[in-house]
Amino acid sequence: MSKSIAPDSLASDAVTPGSLAEWLHYLETLHPVGIDMGLERVAEVAKRMGLLSRPIAIQVITVAGTNGKGSTLAMMDAIARSHGLHVGTYTSPHLVHYNERVTINGSYADDQRLMTGFSCVEHARLQAPEISLTYFEAGTLCALWCLAQEDLDLALLEVGLGGRLDAVNIIDADVAIVTTIAQDHANFLGSDIAQIGREKAGIFRAAKPAVLGSRLLPSSVAAAADAIAAPVYCLGEAFSHSIDDNAADAADSPSEWSWSGLSCQGDAISIADLPDPGLPIDNAATALQALILSGLVVNADACRRAFHEVQVPGRMQWIGQWCLDVGHNPHAADYVARRLPLVPAGGRQWALIGMLNDKDADGVISALLPRITDWVCVTLEGERGRSADELAGRITSLGGRVHGCASSPEAGVQIIAEQLTPSDRVLVTGSFFTVAALLEITLPQA
């Protein structure tokens, strides 16, 4: 989102932006690059704002990982609030409105709260010596300020990129989670899975619980925890889940499941008859274990209610015949492919796909290919955008059938609308940008 050229900063007597949109536009101009990994600059501004002088909440849980961060955080939020806790969250990116990034007890922060937060960030960074911040860094500091204004029982923070050098990591986590590790953001994190694991494990703190939410994490993640004497709670070892014998559709789509794990004192805990949240069960199990380690005394009925009600926009989100999922790497695409229901007899499973040029398009397409009958490719504009024609060429070379190409996600919808029948289903995927565009329009139904 950041521009490539940074103009002079606002002088201390400059006019303050008058709307949230103006603030966001201004923040895009503050730093010469959009992503600048490191904590020195953002930590100094946070110190000036008083964000490091006291905890922002009684308990803080930070979540890192390649996939599953958003759903894990959403389920922790739902469970904690179902137990009556006062909860604040920070996530990124947003789908439609920037306000989605900060919530207090499930409600988005309003424009005025965010604008006040950005004013505090700006005042602090302009103190001598002046400090340049990226769009994400300024947004993270604003979010932390917003959370710190509340008397929160629990703050849930999602890492934006990596872990060790992400702006979120200026806050010490009482419990830290790594969900999954896969290759993504290779320009910044590299392609070495072990090194990616070490970077994401940088959110761990000495003697504080480290929750590992996948059975397939590289050994470097647990090794990083061991190096600082952080107690490790690994899925499949310290905690686990199982599908009830009478579950309808096997492990990929359970009707009910059970969880077992450990309390802070090491005592065994189990909860049965949990409803399918419509999100990865590994992430649901991880959410429960992390909350218990933060001190939550769980009530089974409250957990059931939370899993029944939780929703995450843009993750297997159904709007009539359309399923919207922001998955943009092979691991996420594989999960989507396994969770897609069979289409009615005589129907087609469409995919409307738009991706950025730094994502593994071949891997995503290959994961979805067995489930998709007709593809519509759309162009995403911008410096990181990828053309529909390039995507179409990749799909064709892998054996898929491309029905058409469009200049935008909205134009792709029109191609499908002309052919859509009541028995068809449509998957919209490949990027946050692809899904966000369609959340702002009315999707046609046959």
Side-chain angles (χ1 to χ4, degrees), residues 49 144 166 168 206 262 265 352 369 421-422 443-444:
M49 295 174 67
L144 296 176
D166 187 88
V168 167
L262 297 175
Q265 295 75 33
L352 186 154
L369 203 59
T421 73
L443 294 172

Side-chain angles (χ1 to χ4, degrees), residues 175-423:
V175 180
I177 299 170
V178 172
T179 54
T180 62
I181 301 292
Q183 187 173 329
D184 200 11
H185 300 292
N187 292 345
F188 299 97
L189 303 180
S191 58
D192 184 322
I193 294 298
Q195 179 59 25
I196 294 172
R198 283 188 286 271
E199 286 298 313
K200 294 187 186 294
I203 66 170
F204 297 159
R205 294 297 189 267
K208 299 292 187 179
V211 181
L212 280 54
S214 170
R215 297 173 178 84
L216 301 176
L217 293 176
S219 59
S220 58
V221 178
D226 291 340
I228 59 172
V232 174
Y233 296 80
C234 187
L235 176 64
E237 298 176 13
F239 67 101
S240 62
H241 59 80
S242 60
I243 307 305
D244 291 355
D245 291 339
N246 296 323
D249 299 317
D252 289 341
S253 185
S255 57
E256 289 186 344
W257 59 287
S258 299
W259 178 89
S260 60
L262 297 175
S263 71
C264 300
Q265 295 75 33
D267 298 324
I269 303 174
S270 62
I271 307 173
D273 303 325
L274 293 166
D276 177 15
L279 299 164
I281 301 300
D282 281 1
N283 298 344
T286 300
L288 273 172
Q289 182 61 73
L291 284 171
I292 288 170
L293 294 173
S294 76
L296 180 68
V297 179
V298 292
N299 174 277
D301 286 337
C303 292
R304 295 184 188 109
R305 184 168 60 251
F307 284 127
H308 178 72
E309 296 175 353
V310 67
Q311 294 181 339
V312 184
R315 274 81 166 185
M316 296 299 291
Q317 179 182 358
W318 284 92
I319 302 175
Q321 295 172 262
W322 300 70
C323 177
L324 283 63
D325 193 277
V326 297
H328 51 264
N329 55 49
H331 182 274
D334 178 69
Y335 173 78
V336 171
R338 289 187 287 108
R339 287 299 295 253
L340 278 177
L342 296 175
V343 297
R348 289 177 290 184
Q349 177 61 67
W350 295 82
L352 186 154
I353 186 169
M355 297 189 68
L356 298 176
N357 62 21
D358 55 359
K359 304 303 179 185
D360 181 3
D362 287 349
V364 169
I365 293 164
S366 296
L368 294 173
L369 203 59
R371 299 301 311 277
I372 305 302
T373 58
D374 293 81
W375 298 78
V376 170
C377 303
V378 302
T379 294
L380 296 183
E381 300 291 348
E383 185 177 332
R384 297 168 61 206
R386 189 194 297 262
S387 73
D389 288 340
E390 184 194 346
L391 275 177
R394 292 178 180 273
I395 292 168
T396 300
S397 68
L398 291 168
R401 182 171 68 187
V402 176
H403 188 89
C405 294
S407 60
S408 68
E410 296 89 341
V413 170
Q414 295 307 309
I415 292 176
I416 295 175
E418 293 173 359
Q419 302 290 327
L420 195 64
T421 73
S423 296

